[in-house]
Amino acid sequence: MKLSNFGFDLPSELLAEYPSENRDESRLMVLNRKEQTIEHKLFKDIIDYFDEDDVLILNNTKVFPARLYGNKEKTGARIEVFLLRELNEEQRLWDVLVDPARKIRIGNKLYFGEDETLVAEVIDNTTSRGRTLRFLYDGSYIDFRRKLQELGETPLPKYIKRDVEPEDEDRYQTIYAKNEGAVAAPTAGLHFSKHLLKRLEIKGVNFAEVTLHVGLGTFNPVEVEDLSKHKMDSEEISIDSLAVDTVNTAIKKRKRICAVGTTAMRTIESSVSSGGLLNEMDGWTNKFIFPPYDFSIANCMITNFHTPKSTLLMMVSAFAGHDFIMKAYEEAVKEKYRFYSYGDAMLII
């Protein structure tokens, strides 16, 4: 499979700038791999596809307000700073992206907030837009993190051209988000409402929570035609014993095991035993899944509609079959499904 196999024309009006009014009432395209059929439903209809002791694997990462705006010392130029990951808690070192990057050099200082109580010094260049910042703040670490929360805004994807609204803080977070550390939401999970999760629970469906802190690397464009030469950025993952027990019990019972989103799928595929069972893990993954690929754990997947030529589309193609997925995407465009983070969903069984 080559990069050019994953291109398609996507009309700009199909990019969803707002989510459905009710989370579980977005549209749902259901792909049956065995029958090669496509159905059109609402997301809340997924309950009809699950039975007692089936498992949904959820990524419980929590998005933090990673986008800050500061002013450069002396010139006062407005600089966007996107927090990627904390490198050192004690020294308050962070990997960030800056924009416009050409103005930001080692030694520069940036001032944040009207009172300028938060200052950052640029101490290293990492990539063309990447920098390492040391934050200077007169207060405890807890107070420092509170300040970042106060000054930061929800990091909506770049394709959403409107301004961030207060409601986005809630909209761009799954209702089961717990472990803070993501700079983007695991978007397949945004479709679940509390009511729908409760209905699934009453039906006897089990939930296994894993964590993958979504970084911007997930969305980095693939720039090589030969997919085997693309390198994924590493992202932090965690799989605990409770999730392992829940999933492995379902495997042994031959139940439906559904990865909710590409991040949940990548997490579980990063920690598989030689016997095809899930292992506990705390660490990092840079796993890149593209066709052909044999999946070990999940036999079902919930996902959004993804960007042309993206690593996310490649994973979904590996799971459902390339030709079937491209046919489904062609139908999604024709039927005006909404794409990307706030868009509609797909269930692959």
Side-chain angles (χ1 to χ4, degrees), residues 55-61 176-179 197 206-212 238-244 246-247 267-268 278:
V55 173
L56 288 172
I57 301 173
L58 311 173
N59 179 7
N60 65 11
T61 188
Y176 47 78
K178 284 180 188 164
N179 298 326
L197 281 180
N206 296 319
F207 305 103
E209 294 187 14
V210 298
T211 305
L212 180 145
S238 177
I239 306 168
D240 65 17
S241 59
L242 184 58
V244 165
T246 303
V247 169
T267 303
I268 58 178
L278 187 62

Side-chain angles (χ1 to χ4, degrees), residues 226-264:
D226 179 354
L227 300 183
S228 66
K229 291 186 165 59
H230 177 70
K231 296 288 185 285
M232 294 281 284
D233 279 4
S234 291
E235 293 168 309
E236 191 175 2
I237 65 172
S238 177
I239 306 168
D240 65 17
S241 59
L242 184 58
V244 165
D245 291 346
T246 303
V247 169
N248 289 343
T249 299
I251 290 173
K252 288 164 186 169
K253 289 183 174 179
R254 298 183 179 278
K255 303 303 288 185
R256 180 162 280 172
I257 300 165
C258 187
V260 178
T262 56
T263 61

Side-chain angles (χ1 to χ4, degrees), residues 198-210:
K198 179 53 75 176
R199 287 176 64 213
L200 286 161
E201 189 183 327
I202 290 167
K203 196 170 182 179
V205 175
N206 296 319
F207 305 103
E209 294 187 14
V210 298

Side-chain angles (χ1 to χ4, degrees), residues 81-278:
V81 173
F82 197 107
L83 302 173
L84 291 179
R85 61 174 67 98
E86 186 174 46
L87 299 174
N88 186 299
E89 182 178 313
E90 196 177 327
Q91 295 183 41
R92 298 178 189 174
L93 298 181
W94 284 74
D95 262 344
V96 305
L97 295 178
V98 293
D99 192 19
R102 67 184 185 280
K103 296 184 175 182
I104 303 302
R105 298 184 175 88
I106 293 172
N108 287 161
K109 285 187 177 172
L110 300 171
Y111 293 83
F112 301 90
E114 288 180 12
D115 57 3
E116 297 187 345
T117 52
L118 182 64
V119 182
E121 182 180 5
V122 182
I123 63 168
D124 197 11
N125 293 336
T126 52
T127 62
S128 59
R129 287 183 57 215
R131 302 289 184 272
T132 301
L133 298 188
R134 177 187 285 118
F135 281 97
L136 312 169
Y137 183 72
D138 189 17
S140 68
Y141 178 73
I142 291 171
D143 287 343
F144 164 64
R145 289 301 298 241
R146 277 203 198 107
K147 196 69 179 175
L148 289 183
Q149 290 273 353
E150 175 194 320
L151 294 173
E153 71 174 31
T154 303
L156 290 183
K158 282 285 190 187
Y159 76 84
I160 294 181
K161 301 302 181 191
R162 63 173 173 81
D163 289 340
V164 174
E165 299 170 3
E167 293 83 1
D168 287 314
E169 189 177 343
D170 177 58
R171 288 170 180 155
Y172 199 60
Q173 199 81 266
T174 63
I175 58 167
Y176 47 78
K178 284 180 188 164
N179 298 326
E180 190 172 87
V183 301
T187 55
L190 295 179
H191 302 282
F192 284 91
S193 64
K194 285 182 181 170
H195 180 63
L196 178 57
L197 281 180
K198 179 53 75 176
R199 287 176 64 213
L200 286 161
E201 189 183 327
I202 290 167
K203 196 170 182 179
V205 175
N206 296 319
F207 305 103
E209 294 187 14
V210 298
T211 305
L212 180 145
H213 291 316
V214 188
L216 287 184
T218 297
F219 310 101
N220 277 352
V222 180
E223 294 175 335
V224 286
E225 181 68 5
D226 179 354
L227 300 183
S228 66
K229 291 186 165 59
H230 177 70
K231 296 288 185 285
M232 294 281 284
D233 279 4
S234 291
E235 293 168 309
E236 191 175 2
I237 65 172
S238 177
I239 306 168
D240 65 17
S241 59
L242 184 58
V244 165
D245 291 346
T246 303
V247 169
N248 289 343
T249 299
I251 290 173
K252 288 164 186 169
K253 289 183 174 179
R254 298 183 179 278
K255 303 303 288 185
R256 180 162 280 172
I257 300 165
C258 187
V260 178
T262 56
T263 61
M265 185 69 88
R266 198 156 75 256
T267 303
I268 58 178
E269 285 296 318
S270 298
S271 189
V272 181
S273 74
S274 55
L277 296 174
L278 187 62

